[in-house]
Each structure stands twice: as C-alpha cells, then as structure tokens.
Amino acid sequence: MNVDAMSHDDAMSHDGAMSDDAAQLDRTCKTTAGASPVVTVGWGQADYLPLTDLQTLDVEAGPQGGHHIWLAVRMKNLLGSGSRTTLEATSPSTGAVISPFDVIFTYEPADGGYCKLYGLRFQLDADGVDYVPLLGKELDVTATVTDRSGDTGRDSRRVQLAAAIR
C-alpha cells in the first residue's frame, strides 16, 4: 500500500496506533510494503554517480593522513532515515580486507523513486591496512543497507584503483 495514497484512517488502527505496515514505511525511500530492497554502489563526493564494473577510482590523500576513495549509494524500498550503510572491500589480487565503514546517515530523494547517499569517504588504510600494494589493482566493493525494520539490500562492484595518489 502506498503511504501517499493511504488515508489517515487506513494508517491508524482502531485504537489510534499506526498500523504495522504504515510504521515501516516513509514517504520517500520506502513507499510500498513488502517491496524488495534495491541497492546500487556508486561513487561521488558531491552527488551520487553511477559506477561501472572496473571503473577507475581516484585514491586521495585525506586531511589527516589516511587514503580513501569516494563512494555513494543509491537505494529504494528501504527507510531513508535510521538505515545503517556499511561499506566493505577486498582486494582479489592481494587478499587484503579493508576495514568496514558503517554510518547511519539520512538518504536524500533522487530520481525514479530512489534515494541517495554520497560523499562517503571510504578509507583504504584504516586499522593499519597497507594501501600501497592496492594501487593500480582491482578492489571488490560492497555496500549493504539495513533499515531499522530489518530489511536489507546489498550490491557489489569490482573497481580499479588508480595507480597513483591524487
């Protein structure tokens, strides 16, 4: 049931409480009860941009000494507020596992019923991971979004890291 089309009486039970379906929906990112979550890994510091497999991503030196890539996530059928976004990565050539990055940020509305989160600074060398052998190599990046109702969506992309620091 679409929340925008739901009348106040439909959303409320006879005792005045929100129905279970209405309590698990929002008016932007998760508008249909039971719809399968869709998550897409992208990139971008100032907006969500689509990411293709084996696309080269710049590795940047951060202001506090770390080295990162900018990632973004697009999703729908998950709650836009209170959802946990987790980024993970593994190097298929070296076996290096990048420390996961978890955030609970609010998603912004995007075209086509999607919502987006961008400017995710994914640090390659957190927790002492040596990023230098990763330069110029492929990296499998995964984004997982779990909303507060427990619904989860996931997407992975294989990217190419730039050979030099930008």
Side-chain angles (χ1 to χ4, degrees):
M1 175 180 283
N2 186 318
V3 173
D4 292 330
M6 187 183 319
S7 73
H8 181 71
D9 291 336
D10 291 337
M12 303 297 280
S13 68
H14 294 295
D15 63 1
M18 292 293 287
S19 72
D20 287 342
D21 284 346
Q24 300 303 318
L25 300 176
D26 61 25
R27 293 182 185 270
T28 309
C29 304
K30 188 176 188 178
T31 59
T32 305
S36 296
V38 177
V39 171
T40 308
V41 178
W43 69 284
Q45 181 179 1
D47 201 356
Y48 170 88
L49 301 167
L51 182 63
T52 59
D53 282 332
L54 297 177
Q55 181 173 333
T56 299
L57 294 181
D58 289 331
V59 177
E60 296 185 13
Q64 297 178 349
H67 298 85
H68 62 271
I69 55 177
W70 291 104
L71 294 176
V73 178
R74 185 176 77 152
M75 63 84 160
K76 69 178 177 178
N77 303 325
L78 293 161
L79 295 169
S81 180
S83 291
R84 176 180 302 275
T85 301
T86 303
L87 301 175
E88 300 171 284
T90 303
S91 169
S93 63
T94 69
V97 176
I98 308 303
S99 295
F101 177 66
D102 286 311
V103 294
I104 300 177
F105 292 150
T106 299
Y107 280 73
E108 293 181 10
D111 294 337
Y114 285 87
C115 290
K116 62 186 177 180
L117 183 61
Y118 51 86
L120 298 171
R121 187 186 310 226
F122 186 49
Q123 188 174 340
L124 300 173
D125 51 2
D127 298 323
V129 173
D130 184 4
Y131 75 94
V132 175
L134 304 176
L135 295 175
K137 301 280 192 318
E138 294 175 3
L139 191 68
D140 293 332
V141 177
T142 300
T144 304
V145 182
T146 303
D147 71 16
R148 62 183 183 270
S149 71
D151 290 336
T152 298
R154 175 176 291 127
D155 184 45
S156 296
R157 291 279 186 270
R158 180 167 283 183
V159 299
Q160 178 84 28
L161 295 180
I165 303 297
R166 191 181 98 171

